[in-house]
Amino acid sequence: MNTTIKKVRRVNIIISSIFAILVIIVGILFIFGEYKIETGKSGYTTIFFENLESTVNSKNGNFDSLSFSINNFEDQDNIYKISIFINGEEFDSFERKIASKKDATIIPGVEMREKVASINSEIDYEVEVKWKKNKEKIQKKIIK
Amino acid sequence: MILIELIKLYTSLFLAFFVPGYFLMRAIFSFTELKEKVSAIEKLVITFGLSVASVNFLVIIINHFDIPITALSSFLVITIFSFLFFLVEKFFEPKKSKADTKENKSPLQRFSKKQIYLFLTIFVFAVVVRSFYVAEGIVPETTDLGHHMYWSKYIADFGELPNYGMPDFIIGEHIVFAVVILISGISFVSAVPVISLLLINLFSLLAIFLVTFRIAENFTSKKNAKLAALFSLFVIGTFYAISSPQTKFISGGVIGNLIGNFYIPFLFYSFLSALKFKSKNFAALFVLSSATLVFTHHLSTFVFLFVFAGFLASFLALLLIFYKVRIKEITVLLWKNISLFFSAKSLFFILLIALIMFFVWMPSYLNPEAVDTAVGTPTKSTRTGFPLGEMILNAGPWRFFYSGVSAIFVAAIFVRKFFKKRKSDSFVFVVSIAVILSWLAMIFLMSTHPELLKIDIPSNRIVSYFTFPVTILSSIATILLLSFFKKRFSKNLALLLFVMVVGTGVVSGLANVSDAARGKEPNRAKEVMETYVAGEYLAEKIPYKDKVLKDHIYLSGDTWLKIFFMQDYKYPLSRSLLKRYEDPVKKRETCTRDMVAIPDSEVGQKCFKETGVKYVVLKKGYDTAQFEKSKNFSKVYISDSVVIFKRN
């Protein structure tokens, strides 16, 4: 009889172990999933061209220069403020997570230029990328 | 923060998959029966099966009474239901049992230390293999899962059950997910849907373990039956573990099949247990679980009905042979066993299900039109059956071969027992043999020669059900061979032969696992998330009902875009795979294709006007050149892999 009770206890060990395995695997998969989702949301830059388009339309294409700047916040790594300047004045800005310097330098790029050109090919504009870290300017790039 | 979310997830999974079923089980089964005939593993699996059933029917009922389906109502209805059955069990169930002895314990209640280690090692291995594969695609993105999660989100967002308007979806595929998400408060775009599917799949492995034991114990020793059950867990858990209907179905979000793959073996387990123990309670479990399958998946129900019909025919034939056409004796035996399924509990469940089906919620596929499309002589090449070679590959060559060996063994055992004196358990012996042979034969016939059974369903859908009978039979064959070797040869030679049998299985079965692990796309999750971020952006910015077209061919996770809009199942419009536009039988719309391929052409512009599409979501660099050059479109959004164009 004692042997039987021992064996029954062993089965209960199986049940506890199954639950423990399930709890662990659910936890790991959930945390891993959240990590993948969070990292998937960042590491690239999104540009909302409609801001630009509405501005150009509202000004009837009547402006001399258009520029963008990207700056990171001093206390937050990888979070950058992307600003759109028209005639030297900040028109709009938004914040984005950027994974690396490489990502930041390609942001406005050629597509911005094409877009602006499609609205008004006569506009003289510039795209400016500023990179600041530890209060020092590391890189400045002008595409004209 | 993530810890709180994790605790909420555990709570919701526990409430949806374990709590109501546990209390319902304690109310259905007597205290004595639970203690003496149902082992802890069986209780765990029954709890799971009854929980899924309870949650489905409870939500259907509260929806009928116009109670909004919310986190609170879901939580309360599960809690109240569980408490009521706790009271039923506490006050109405007598708690008397014999002393704990070896004789009055289920054999599955008694495990040696070695068997425990073996069980746990196999289970851990099965979990790990699945988890590695599932983790690769943990960000939900697959097409089927996207379609299903739209409906689950519909329940969660609108607080009511949807009217599908099509027979493709069944309510049981969506309720449990909606309840888990509602109670946990976690987003649908998370690992939760895949985790829930993984749980369902793991419990289907345990159901296979149980049904293998229940079948094998009737024609071999209890020890061999236990070994066969353990080996079946190994075979189903690790051999060909990635292929359909295993881990690929989890990642793919093939919800109905996965739930069906739990309930089909579970139904045979409860059916055999009812007959084995002459238990009205197991019979009631069979009735309730059958109804749950009907409310969960049409194809699984269809397959089960065919297999069960095949079982009845073969069983009656075998019974007539075994009892040498003694009609009177057979009639008495049949009535004695059939009457188990008409007890008060079973009749209560039958009445309850009938009421729900006819007055509350009829599964969408139960209409003459839908049945007509599934029954008849198949004409399409995809429905005319699989050649034998593909059947073997699909089942796994090792499993296929040894299931054939097992079928011969089982037939030989039947013949041997035929010439021996009949015992009291002969009836269940015939039932077991008929169950496993008809399960194998019917799915084989349905997959290879559907025209014989007048089945008009894609053959590749049916063939996935072949996995389970071949797993059970090949496991039984392996153990019977081991037993045979041990009797006939020296211990070492027997061991060597056994290692050869299992070794070929390991090579064949695990090759599939390593093949499937190759060719993963490392940036896939990032691309999928970019699609979702673009979807969130569009859903937030554009006016309601502004038409959107997205590309299904190149865009990662595009099917999930619909859950960001929640405007309609068919919103946004989709450019499908190109072969979908070519159908010699039925003319297909081509606008969704032409609006992407030739947006500036006369045809393309006409399509834009007719459909009213204003935004086009594409993968960057794939079919975007024509939009870049066009004066009719402006690029309004861009990320590393997603571009959105707006029609000017």
Side-chain angles (χ1 to χ4, degrees):
Chain A
M1 194 172 134
N2 283 342
T3 318
T4 307
I5 291 169
K6 219 182 224 176
K7 284 181 176 174
V8 171
R9 279 191 193 136
R10 283 182 197 153
V11 174
N12 293 335
I13 291 171
I14 289 188
I15 301 302
S16 324
S17 307
I18 289 176
F19 266 110
I21 294 162
L22 294 181
V23 165
I24 292 167
I25 209 68
V26 165
I28 291 172
L29 285 176
F30 180 70
I31 292 169
F32 185 62
E34 289 300 298
Y35 164 76
K36 283 267 216 180
I37 286 167
E38 278 311 308
T39 50
K41 279 182 181 169
S42 58
Y44 60 93
T45 308
T46 309
I47 303 293
F48 309 104
F49 284 97
E50 63 177 0
N51 295 337
L52 179 63
E53 187 184 25
S54 60
T55 311
V56 174
N57 289 340
S58 69
K59 291 182 178 279
N60 296 320
N62 184 22
F63 54 87
D64 301 321
S65 71
L66 182 67
S67 67
F68 305 86
S69 75
I70 301 170
N71 296 284
N72 75 317
F73 294 100
E74 286 169 17
D75 55 341
Q76 288 173 290
D77 278 352
N78 296 340
I79 297 181
Y80 293 85
K81 187 181 174 192
I82 300 166
S83 308
I84 301 170
F85 292 90
I86 293 181
N87 289 341
E89 286 178 25
E90 185 174 307
F91 157 71
D92 197 6
S93 65
F94 45 94
E95 290 165 21
R96 280 288 172 275
K97 257 189 182 175
I98 297 171
S100 68
K101 192 171 16 174
K102 192 181 155 209
D103 284 343
T105 55
I106 60 166
I107 294 165
V110 180
E111 275 142 2
M112 277 292 196
R113 183 157 50 176
E114 280 180 359
K115 180 66 203 169
V116 176
S118 74
I119 297 162
N120 186 346
S121 57
E122 301 301 315
I123 298 171
D124 179 24
Y125 65 94
E126 63 177 1
V127 175
E128 185 183 20
V129 179
K130 289 175 187 167
W131 185 275
K132 278 185 180 176
K133 197 152 190 181
N134 299 330
K135 297 179 186 175
E136 283 177 32
K137 192 189 286 181
I138 297 171
Q139 186 183 356
K140 184 176 178 182
K141 187 178 178 184
I142 295 173
I143 305 167
K144 210 164 185 181
Chain B
M1 185 63 190
I2 195 139
L3 272 179
I4 294 168
E5 288 212 320
L6 196 54
I7 290 165
K8 286 199 291 190
L9 176 62
Y10 287 138
T11 312
S12 63
L13 289 174
F14 201 61
L15 275 171
F17 289 121
F18 299 101
V19 174
Y22 177 75
F23 289 104
L24 182 57
M25 174 186 72
R26 292 184 68 105
I28 289 178
F29 289 91
S30 65
F31 181 79
T32 319
E33 200 167 16
L34 277 181
K35 198 166 168 59
E36 293 171 4
K37 291 174 184 164
V38 188
S39 68
I41 300 170
E42 288 167 283
K43 281 178 203 157
L44 183 67
V45 177
I46 294 171
T47 294
F48 186 82
L50 285 178
S51 287
V52 174
S54 312
V55 168
N56 276 317
F57 291 120
L58 285 172
V59 171
I60 289 173
I61 290 168
I62 65 167
N63 178 72
H64 180 69
F65 290 107
D66 287 333
I67 299 168
I69 304 160
T70 60
L72 183 67
S73 65
S74 307
F75 177 80
L76 283 179
V77 77
I78 291 172
T79 313
I80 293 168
F81 174 87
S82 306
F83 185 67
L84 281 178
F85 279 104
F86 166 74
L87 293 180
V88 168
E89 189 253 333
K90 194 167 174 63
F91 294 110
F92 296 101
E93 289 288 350
K95 290 182 178 49
K96 279 181 190 168
S97 174
K98 293 172 204 163
D100 278 339
T101 61
K102 194 176 174 181
E103 288 69 34
N104 68 1
K105 281 283 170 201
S106 159
L108 285 178
Q109 196 76 299
R110 288 179 271 122
F111 275 95
S112 69
K113 260 187 186 175
K114 274 184 193 166
Q115 285 167 339
I116 287 186
Y117 289 139
L118 198 58
F119 182 98
L120 289 177
T121 310
I122 295 169
F123 192 73
V124 167
F125 194 65
V127 172
V128 168
V129 167
R130 279 162 179 73
S131 301
F132 270 110
Y133 188 82
V134 162
E136 290 287 338
I138 198 71
V139 176
E141 56 146 321
T142 50
T143 304
D144 277 11
L145 194 58
H147 290 320
H148 284 302
M149 285 307 115
Y150 171 81
W151 293 118
S152 291
K153 192 162 188 281
Y154 182 100
I155 298 170
D157 282 7
F158 301 111
E160 60 177 28
L161 299 184
N163 177 12
Y164 297 113
M166 60 184 101
D168 308 49
F169 297 103
I170 303 109
I171 199 67
E173 293 176 289
H174 307 130
I175 289 177
V176 175
F177 294 88
V179 167
V180 170
I181 292 285
L182 274 170
I183 297 177
S184 66
I186 298 167
S187 165
F188 278 90
V189 182
S190 66
V192 177
V194 174
I195 286 172
S196 306
L197 287 174
L198 177 67
L199 280 181
I200 293 167
N201 179 254
L202 291 173
F203 273 86
S204 75
L205 308 186
L206 295 177
I208 285 288
F209 170 82
L210 295 182
V211 77
T212 306
F213 176 79
R214 197 95 304 158
I215 289 170
E217 71 173 341
N218 293 310
F219 50 79
T220 183
S221 66
K222 301 276 186 228
K223 189 186 165 194
N224 277 351
K226 216 189 280 183
L227 287 174
L230 277 168
F231 198 66
S232 72
L233 189 66
F234 181 56
V235 174
I236 193 75
T238 57
F239 288 7
Y240 318 101
I242 305 300
S243 59
S244 310
Q246 296 295 313
T247 318
K248 277 196 178 162
F249 273 23
I250 302 172
S251 286
V254 193
I255 296 178
N257 272 74
L258 280 169
I259 301 180
N261 286 341
F262 167 76
Y263 274 106
I264 292 175
F266 184 67
L267 280 170
F268 280 122
Y269 157 76
S270 42
F271 179 72
L272 286 166
S273 301
L275 298 177
K276 173 89 185 166
F277 301 122
K278 302 287 171 277
S279 164
K280 291 173 180 172
N281 300 329
F282 267 111
L285 177 69
F286 173 76
V287 169
L288 184 59
S289 305
S290 307
T292 312
L293 182 65
V294 172
F295 275 85
T296 307
H297 194 224
H298 40 23
L299 185 60
S300 301
T301 307
F302 193 73
V303 166
F304 181 72
L305 284 176
F306 266 80
V307 172
F308 205 75
F311 154 73
L312 288 177
S314 58
F315 165 66
L316 286 175
L318 289 175
L319 201 65
L320 283 169
I321 296 168
F322 201 79
Y323 285 87
K324 295 168 185 159
V325 205
R326 290 195 193 101
I327 302 294
K328 202 176 170 188
E329 194 182 348
I330 292 171
T331 315
V332 172
L333 262 176
L334 277 177
W335 176 243
K336 198 176 147 194
N337 286 284
I338 290 172
S339 62
L340 294 169
F341 295 85
F342 295 97
S343 67
K345 273 179 195 167
S346 292
L347 287 174
F348 170 75
F349 284 134
I350 291 170
L351 186 69
L352 183 71
I353 302 306
L355 283 174
I356 291 176
M357 199 175 273
F358 293 109
F359 299 105
V360 180
W361 189 275
M362 174 76 86
S364 48
Y365 66 96
L366 287 182
N367 65 68
E369 206 180 300
V371 173
D372 264 0
T373 56
V375 179
T377 308
T379 48
K380 279 189 175 180
S381 60
T382 51
R383 298 172 180 222
T384 51
F386 262 45
L388 184 65
E390 279 196 54
M391 283 292 291
I392 295 171
L393 284 178
N394 212 288
W398 185 88
R399 275 196 303 220
F400 189 87
F401 176 75
Y402 283 101
S403 62
V405 172
S406 190
I408 296 167
F409 261 124
V410 170
I413 291 169
F414 180 80
V415 173
R416 196 172 153 213
K417 199 149 184 171
F418 175 75
F419 291 107
K420 281 191 170 179
K421 199 182 168 188
R422 283 194 302 279
K423 290 180 188 168
S424 58
D425 60 352
S426 295
F427 184 84
V428 189
F429 164 74
V430 178
V431 172
S432 299
I433 285 190
V435 162
I436 191 58
L437 292 185
S438 56
W439 195 350
L440 182 82
M442 288 305 283
I443 296 180
F444 185 78
L445 266 183
M446 289 169 87
S447 310
T448 54
H449 295 92
E451 75 283 356
L452 295 177
L453 300 166
K454 300 278 177 201
I455 294 167
D456 193 8
I457 289 172
S459 305
N460 64 343
R461 301 286 310 275
I462 299 173
V463 78
S464 67
Y465 291 91
F466 198 52
T467 306
F468 288 171
V470 293
T471 296
I472 295 167
L473 275 168
S474 57
S475 310
I476 292 172
T478 314
I479 298 306
L480 290 179
L481 278 173
L482 173 68
S483 169
F484 178 77
F485 293 153
K486 272 171 90 176
K487 272 185 198 163
R488 303 275 162 153
F489 307 109
S490 68
K491 201 180 167 187
N492 287 344
L493 187 61
L495 189 68
L496 184 72
L497 289 168
F498 179 70
V499 168
M500 275 170 65
V501 170
V502 178
T504 47
V506 170
V507 172
S508 173
L510 296 187
N512 157 271
V513 176
S514 67
D515 283 350
R518 293 179 198 137
K520 293 278 175 194
E521 300 168 54
N523 290 326
R524 183 81 182 174
K526 183 176 160 283
E527 277 187 27
V528 170
M529 283 314 300
E530 282 190 46
T531 306
Y532 296 169
V533 171
E536 271 174 349
Y537 166 75
L538 258 192
E540 188 192 314
K541 295 276 177 183
I542 66 172
Y544 185 72
K545 289 286 179 193
D546 253 15
K547 291 278 174 20
V548 176
L549 171 68
K550 48 95 177 166
D551 181 26
H552 180 60
I553 300 180
Y554 299 115
L555 205 57
S556 309
D558 69 293
T559 314
W560 282 71
L561 284 176
K562 67 175 77 172
I563 78 161
F564 296 101
F565 297 103
M566 288 308 290
Q567 291 193 22
D568 188 75
Y569 173 71
K570 289 178 179 164
Y571 182 99
L573 294 175
S574 179
R575 193 266 291 261
S576 300
L577 300 173
L578 296 178
K579 64 180 179 188
R580 291 270 172 107
Y581 295 99
E582 290 155 12
D583 189 339
V585 183
K586 194 175 151 192
K587 196 173 185 298
R588 303 275 178 174
E589 69 80 23
T590 50
C591 265
T592 46
R593 178 192 64 191
D594 298 337
M595 282 187 284
V596 174
I598 39 172
D600 274 341
S601 69
E602 201 179 315
V603 176
Q605 284 299 309
K606 194 179 162 208
C607 284
F608 273 106
K609 268 188 193 152
E610 278 175 7
T611 56
V613 166
K614 208 159 184 188
Y615 294 88
V616 184
V617 189
L618 299 170
K619 183 169 177 176
K620 193 174 169 187
Y622 291 79
D623 280 327
T624 51
Q626 55 268 42
F627 290 93
E628 301 271 5
K629 289 174 194 161
S630 172
K631 297 267 180 209
N632 294 318
F633 297 92
S634 301
K635 194 192 287 178
V636 293
Y637 179 99
I638 185 167
S639 66
D640 283 2
S641 62
V642 181
V643 190
I644 303 173
F645 292 97
K646 182 184 177 186
R647 193 164 166 250
N648 293 331

